[in-house]
């Protein structure tokens, strides 16, 4: 297996608590704050350089229907195993609501049916996983920007955090819950959608039913599946490991631009 997978197994394999995990993943960084600082600023540089070179609104490549991969892997969680999710699935997500709250003027709870009534976008794009596989799929959903305009952002809003239904890692304190985040440039990017369809059909459980994020200029782990709540925040400090995502708390870069 390639080195990413090995590293991922190492990162997730421990049965210790969240702080210990963060430590094991980031030992090297924690030992030397200077090194951590340099790595962080290198990441910021990557982000700034990429946006400067490609433009804030540069589109990820879109493909034709003929390019759609005959099979698209399911990765990470393949089925959230909570009681709550099982009930929602059983009721075909009729009782599911997407919550949008945090630093917004008008917090929102919206059903899947109502989401489907909003203007939709369809895009055929390539998904690149850090583990070294790619697949092309067709995604249909609501541009995140549309919803953010509806709720109205407060002046101090900086990031959108996606809280998911699944625990990728079982922990006592819930810190194994999957979550992700993006900044407002990516949140308002035209290809950033909350997808409810893949290849013309409702999302399967494996691919994130009922709703998953597509943020096409980023690596696979940013594309949160099983999105239950979008929280608008000004910092990640109070969220789990404080790095803005499940994998980020285990050592991955927050800015996963490709
Ligand atoms: N909620 C949740 N979202 C997730 C994951 C996960 O385990 N849980 N895995 C991520 C990773 S690493 C990848 S590559 C993609 C995989 O999406 P797919 O299962 O539709 O291929 O989902 C991402 N989003
Ligand atoms: Mo991934």
């Amino acid at each position: 297996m390639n080195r990413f997978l090995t590293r991922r197994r190492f990162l997730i394999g421990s049965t210790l608590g969240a702080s210990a995990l963060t430590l094991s993943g980031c030992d090297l960084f924690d030992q030397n704050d200077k090194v951590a600082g340099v790595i962080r600023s290198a990441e910021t540089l990557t982000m700034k350089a990429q946006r400067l070179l490609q433009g804030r609104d540069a589109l990820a490549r879109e493909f034709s229907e003929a390019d759609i991969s005959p099979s698209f892997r399911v990765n990470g969680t393949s089925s959230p195993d909570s009681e709550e999710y099982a009930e929602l699935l059983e009721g075909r997500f009729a009782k599911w609501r997407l919550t949008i709250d945090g630093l917004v003027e008008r917090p929102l709870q919206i059903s899947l049916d109502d989401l489907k009534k909003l203007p939709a976008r369809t895009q055929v794009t390539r998904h690149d996983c850090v583990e070294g596989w790619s697949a092309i799929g067709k995604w249909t959903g609501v541009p995140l920007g549309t919803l953010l305009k509806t709720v109205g952002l407060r002046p101090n809003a900086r990031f959108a955090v996606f809280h998911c239904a699944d625990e990728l890692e079982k922990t006592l304190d819930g810190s194994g819950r999957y979550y992700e985040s993006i900044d407002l440039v990516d949140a308002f990017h035209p290809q950033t959608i909350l997808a409810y369809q893949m290849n013309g059909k409702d999302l399967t459980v494996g691919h994130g039913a009922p709703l998953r994020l597509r943020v096409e200029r980023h690596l696979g782990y940013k594309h949160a599946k099983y999105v239950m709540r979008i929280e608008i925040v000004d910092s990640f400090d109070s969220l789990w490991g404080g790095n803005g995502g499940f994998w980020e708390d285990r050592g991955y870069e927050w800015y996963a631009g490709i």
Side-chain angles (χ1 to χ4, degrees):
M1 273 294 143
N2 64 49
R3 72 193 162 90
F4 293 118
L5 190 55
T6 315
R7 178 152 176 265
R8 179 175 283 192
R9 286 250 167 80
F10 165 73
L11 290 171
I12 204 173
S14 167
T15 52
L16 298 173
S19 53
L21 261 178
T22 310
L23 248 183
S24 65
C26 303
D27 252 356
L28 191 84
F29 303 175
D30 290 350
Q31 274 166 19
N32 187 335
D33 278 354
K34 260 195 201 149
V35 176
V38 170
I39 290 174
R40 288 264 164 252
S41 62
E43 189 185 336
T44 309
L45 205 68
T46 311
M47 175 172 92
K48 289 198 170 140
Q50 192 179 45
R51 285 183 176 162
L52 195 70
L53 291 171
Q54 302 186 341
R56 289 158 64 109
D57 296 322
L59 296 181
R61 180 167 170 205
E62 293 195 14
F63 297 78
S64 74
E65 304 234 344
D67 299 317
I68 294 174
S69 303
S71 77
F72 196 118
R73 237 169 96 161
V74 167
N75 207 35
T77 299
S78 54
S79 173
D81 70 356
S82 73
E83 191 77 13
E84 189 195 354
Y85 185 84
E87 273 173 30
L88 290 170
L89 175 64
E90 169 114 2
R92 295 167 148 263
F93 298 108
K95 292 208 178 113
W96 174 93
R97 296 287 180 277
L98 171 70
T99 300
I100 307 183
D101 61 6
L103 300 174
V104 302
E105 302 293 350
R106 296 168 295 277
L108 178 74
Q109 290 223 318
I110 184 166
S111 71
L112 195 55
D113 281 350
D114 286 342
L115 270 178
K116 288 181 174 177
K117 286 178 196 148
L118 296 172
R121 187 181 203 281
T122 294
Q123 58 206 29
V124 180
T125 54
R126 196 184 67 206
H127 179 99
D128 296 305
C129 174
V130 76
E131 292 174 9
W133 58 272
S134 300
I136 293 175
K138 179 167 90 165
W139 305 96
T140 300
V142 182
L144 178 57
T146 307
L147 291 171
L148 296 185
K149 280 177 205 152
T150 307
V151 295
L153 297 183
R154 299 242 183 100
N156 51 340
R158 287 193 60 200
F159 306 102
V161 178
F162 305 87
H163 296 283
C164 307
D166 59 315
E167 266 184 290
L168 186 50
E169 187 192 3
K170 292 282 160 217
T171 56
L172 292 176
D173 63 356
S175 60
R177 185 65 79 96
Y178 204 92
Y179 76 107
E180 257 304 338
S181 61
I182 57 177
D183 67 12
L184 295 184
V185 172
D186 280 317
F188 283 97
H189 185 274
Q191 286 170 320
T192 299
I193 64 173
L194 291 166
Y196 45 75
Q197 275 193 358
M198 178 190 182
N199 298 342
K201 295 195 189 104
D202 282 353
L203 280 187
T204 59
V205 170
H207 291 296
L211 196 72
R212 66 107 42 96
L213 177 67
R214 294 300 310 170
V215 49
E216 303 295 353
R217 295 184 308 177
H218 285 272
L219 286 169
Y221 62 89
K222 300 296 285 187
H223 300 235
K225 304 193 281 189
Y226 319 111
V227 175
M228 305 294 284
R229 174 180 170 217
I230 301 173
E231 183 187 9
I232 306 301
V233 300
D234 59 359
S235 125
F236 309 134
D237 291 353
S238 62
L239 292 164
W240 304 123
N243 299 296
F246 175 94
W247 283 114
E248 288 84 336
D249 285 341
R250 288 155 182 82
Y252 283 24
E253 285 194 359
W254 175 78
Y255 190 78
I258 41 176

